[in-house]
Amino acid sequence: MRLDDRLRAMAMHATARWTVRYGEGLRFAGTDLPAPRVVRAPTRHGSVRVHVYRAGERRDPAPAHIHFHGGAWLMRYPAMDDWWCRYLTATTGATVLNVDFRTAPYVVYPVAQRQCHDVAAWAAAGGGDLRLDGERITVGGFSSGGGLAASVCLQARDAGSFRPALQVLGVPALDMAGDLPEHATGMISTDLRRLVRRVYFPDVATRSHPYASPVLADDLSGLPPALVLTGERDVLRSDGERYVARLREAGVPATLDETPDVDHYFLTEDPRRARRTMAMVADALVLATERP
């Protein structure tokens, strides 16, 4: 890893809490919830902090949504999606687990992917004293977190560890082997993509591995239903479109929802449309985890 890459990645990692503010205008549900409880979940790469959002105590095992934040595998800051976790908890009644997985430059692939899977599998096994319902687990994430959620589904299928009821992928990064258009404009630049690959995916051969690039997996059959959210002007839009097409070819139910005329921060550019999108996700989570 080049020294300048490492220093740049360290700066992004350290300053995320002050630089990321993209969801602040969407705090309209769950603002009265208490601060999330922080627990630790075991993984192959050490225990991981998990921020747990709940809308009150439950006596029966609760459905759970496992969320993976974005940040290009460079920003370790789960609180960037606090607004989203609060919204889902308040509107669905589910327990939401926001995972504080490790990121570059302090780890490289596949550490984050494995940690995210292991936390989700731990939750599906009950999550210790959280008393979660392993039959009613969903996963999701934004951007790199969307790629992690898709990776978790593949890992869970291959290992037979658990089966999510739904995967919610917001503007997901699903192909780390392919190049962006050379003169791509917008929020996701070719320069950022190159940095991510050099720092978190330094081994070129791993970039096409299915857990790194889920859209390149040979077999997508047996995966949970998917709700994929894209932005019309987002350079990653094609990742989501290709994934939905391949899921459908494999017989997996997949819904594609594109927000018109927005870039990568698809929920903040059009707040009115965002409310409809967020409600759609909440409804999908409730439907996916309803008791028979």
Side-chain angles (χ1 to χ4, degrees), residues 64-68 116-117 120-121 136-141 145-146 148-153 156 162-169 224-225 227 285:
H65 180 70
I66 319 302
H67 179 75
F68 311 113
C116 289
H117 166 268
R136 296 192 289 162
I137 299 291
T138 58
V139 299
L148 288 167
S151 175
V152 164
C153 292
F162 75 106
R163 178 178 169 80
L166 181 70
Q167 51 181 318
V168 179
L169 314 181
L227 173 56
L285 292 179

Side-chain angles (χ1 to χ4, degrees), residues 163-230:
R163 178 178 169 80
L166 181 70
Q167 51 181 318
V168 179
L169 314 181
V171 290
L174 300 169
D175 182 358
M176 296 311 298
D179 293 321
L180 298 180
E182 184 62 31
H183 301 292
T185 60
M187 296 178 181
I188 305 299
S189 66
T190 54
D191 179 57
L192 176 60
R193 167 59 63 89
R194 290 167 181 158
L195 177 67
V196 171
R197 295 205 297 193
R198 290 194 301 262
V199 176
Y200 186 66
F201 300 94
D203 182 348
V204 175
T206 65
R207 297 172 188 171
S208 58
H209 190 279
Y211 299 162
S213 297
V215 75
L216 301 182
D218 291 336
D219 179 15
L220 296 182
S221 63
L223 292 177
L227 173 56
V228 180
L229 313 171
T230 62

Side-chain angles (χ1 to χ4, degrees), residues 58 60-63 133 135-136 286-292:
R58 301 176 61 111
D60 58 321
D133 186 341
E135 299 298 316
R136 296 192 289 162
V286 170
L287 183 62
T289 56
E290 282 183 333
R291 292 189 182 279

Side-chain angles (χ1 to χ4, degrees), residues 22 65 67-71 81 84 139-150 167-174 226-231 234 236-237 239-240 243 255-257 259 263-267 277 280-281:
Y22 70 89
H65 180 70
H67 179 75
F68 311 113
H69 66 83
D81 290 342
W84 176 247
V139 299
F142 294 144
S143 192
S144 55
L148 288 167
Q167 51 181 318
V168 179
L169 314 181
V171 290
L174 300 169
L227 173 56
V228 180
L229 313 171
T230 62
D234 181 18
L236 297 184
R237 183 185 73 180
D239 284 21
Y243 197 58
T255 300
L256 178 66
D257 183 79
T259 299
D263 201 340
H264 195 60
Y265 286 177
F266 71 117
L267 288 175
T277 303
M280 176 184 64
V281 173

